[in-house]
Amino acid sequence: MTQKHRIAVISGDGIGPEVVAEALRVVSACGIELETTSFDLGAARYLRDGMVLDDATLGELRTFDAILLGAIGPALGDSRIPGGTLERGLLLRLRFELDLYINFRPFRGVPGSLAEACEFAIVRENTEGPYAGEGGVLRKGTSHEVATQGSVNTRMGVERCVRFAFERASRLSVPRLTLVHKTNVLTFAGDLWQRVVNEVASEYPTVAVDYNHVDAACIYLVDSPSRYGIIVTDNLFGDILSDLAGAVSGGIGFAASANLNPSRSGPSLFEPVHGAAHDITGQGRANPLAAISSAALMLEHLGENEAALKVHAAVADCAEAIAGLSTTEITDALLQRM
Ligand code: IPM
Ligand code: MN
């Protein structure tokens, strides 16, 4: 007997609705029944009535089994929405309020990419670091203006992220974990991360542990990505490295992500790494594979492992054969392989 999962769908802006529709088409082709509820949130909604994410909507979102999100954001150069309004008010608010403390971003290099045949994942801390909002501004607009933006790293936050990363690393066929940081400069935060990694490592004797400075990791991701299994890192380094990892793996059009609350005190959120891409909206040119892979991560989280594996395999299978195909044709090609 199949159980209906209750999913909140935030299709969002630009290509968001196009790729989410394809992701839902794939899920239903797996025979998984979803009870979906759409939430009209994002740039278009904000421009219409000024709502970003009110408490009532947030409360409603909390009651779902998972959240599937397409993309959020205005068109480039649209100055009607002050920078940070949607990022802080919607996406980061969801990450913080729902305690989505892991941003899990798996990569598999498509044929022809720099990371061809490589498989690795970034485990990005998702609630702290420079994203936490610590800091402020003094004497704004004067020549003596001061702006600070601190990086918040709590023992609890670092440890739960590192533990999640080790758990994942221990399940790999070659169990290995690399801490990426800048411990030689960010000595306070770096020391905390390194000590936590060292401590947790003693509980996972099968996992080979390494450390890279973040600048060196940028080189390695380009010229020897096969060295990585699980990369664990802080919020900002993880943000930057996952765009680079997406680029070397075949393009950001393939990159999926799971914003996880592993304690399951609320729903987790699944979204492609890419943005709203207004420049190609409505042309059938968006690659839906990142959204489809994100939906597969959602299925995994919902315990639908068989379907998740099937979708992941089909994505890997058709990734090299999508050139020239439209958004819906890519999904068709994928469904044929399932
Ligand atoms: C991402 C995005 C977000 C981030 C932005 C939109 C706030 O770049 O999910 O990687 O910085 O985390
Ligand atoms: Mn990013």
Side-chain angles (χ1 to χ4, degrees):
M1 212 176 61
T2 54
Q3 177 208 348
K4 256 195 188 180
H5 304 288
R6 294 183 61 249
I7 308 299
V9 177
I10 305 173
S11 293
D13 304 304
I15 60 170
E18 298 169 41
V19 297
V20 163
E22 301 306 308
L24 291 175
R25 186 149 78 92
V26 171
V27 171
S28 108
C30 292
I32 307 287
E33 278 206 75
L34 300 182
E35 185 188 315
T36 60
T37 306
S38 293
F39 286 80
D40 179 14
L41 297 168
R45 171 70 189 266
Y46 175 76
L47 287 172
R48 218 170 51 244
D49 67 7
M51 209 279 261
V52 179
L53 177 63
D54 57 29
D55 292 345
T57 308
L58 177 63
E60 222 184 306
L61 286 169
R62 282 186 200 282
T63 67
F64 285 82
D65 297 328
I67 303 169
L68 184 65
L69 188 146
I72 295 290
L76 248 111
D78 185 335
S79 55
R80 290 172 297 170
I81 307 181
T85 305
L86 296 170
E87 291 86 345
R88 285 223 161 264
L90 180 51
L91 196 53
L92 298 185
R93 179 143 191 246
L94 287 172
R95 288 177 184 171
F96 297 167
E97 295 270 4
L98 301 176
D99 206 18
L100 307 175
Y101 64 85
I102 297 295
N103 199 323
F104 181 71
R105 297 183 159 180
F107 299 92
R108 186 199 292 249
V110 310
S113 68
L114 286 171
E116 173 161 2
C118 301
E119 249 191 283
F120 60 94
I122 296 179
V123 171
R124 164 186 174 187
E125 201 293 320
N126 211 28
T127 55
E128 303 193 333
Y131 278 67
E134 194 262 354
V137 63
L138 295 171
R139 311 187 194 114
K140 186 164 182 166
T142 73
S143 58
H144 295 277
E145 181 164 341
V146 180
T148 63
Q149 194 104 46
S151 175
V152 173
N153 298 263
T154 70
R155 170 77 203 197
M156 178 276 292
V158 173
E159 185 172 335
R160 65 184 183 176
C161 175
V162 166
R163 286 193 176 281
F164 179 92
F166 267 99
E167 189 51 45
R168 288 291 168 133
S170 70
R171 288 191 236 149
L172 300 177
S173 52
V174 183
R176 54 194 172 158
L177 174 146
T178 308
L179 168 65
V180 172
H181 209 280
K182 189 76 185 178
T183 54
N184 54 343
V185 175
L186 306 180
T187 48
F188 309 132
D191 178 54
L192 174 58
W193 276 86
Q194 185 67 72
R195 271 185 291 119
V196 171
V197 165
N198 295 347
E199 279 175 34
V200 178
S202 65
E203 297 170 34
Y204 290 88
T206 62
V207 177
V209 180
D210 199 4
Y211 168 79
N212 293 160
H213 290 320
V214 63
D215 45 354
C218 290
I219 298 176
Y220 298 148
L221 271 173
V222 172
D223 74 12
S224 53
S226 63
R227 72 174 60 220
Y228 293 120
I230 294 286
I231 292 175
V232 63
T233 191
D234 88 348
N235 208 339
L236 183 58
F237 293 146
D239 175 49
I240 298 165
L241 283 181
S242 55
D243 271 20
L244 179 57
V248 302
S249 302
I252 205 77
F254 294 95
S257 78
N259 295 260
L260 299 172
N261 172 340
S263 75
R264 294 179 186 259
S265 61
S268 291
L269 182 153
F270 302 81
E271 54 167 345
V273 176
H274 64 67
H278 287 267
D279 52 329
I280 58 164
T281 298
Q283 303 170 28
R285 285 171 59 202
N287 180 355
L289 291 178
I292 292 169
S293 296
S294 303
L297 292 171
M298 178 177 82
L299 292 177
E300 222 173 290
H301 188 73
L302 294 170
E304 303 285 1
N305 292 317
E306 203 183 311
L309 284 172
K310 221 162 69 177
V311 179
H312 283 313
V315 169
D317 209 24
C318 77
E320 62 184 308
I322 65 162
L325 297 186
S326 73
T327 305
T328 51
E329 285 168 348
I330 294 173
T331 310
D332 294 340
L334 178 127
L335 291 176
Q336 262 163 33
R337 283 167 169 83
M338 281 173 36

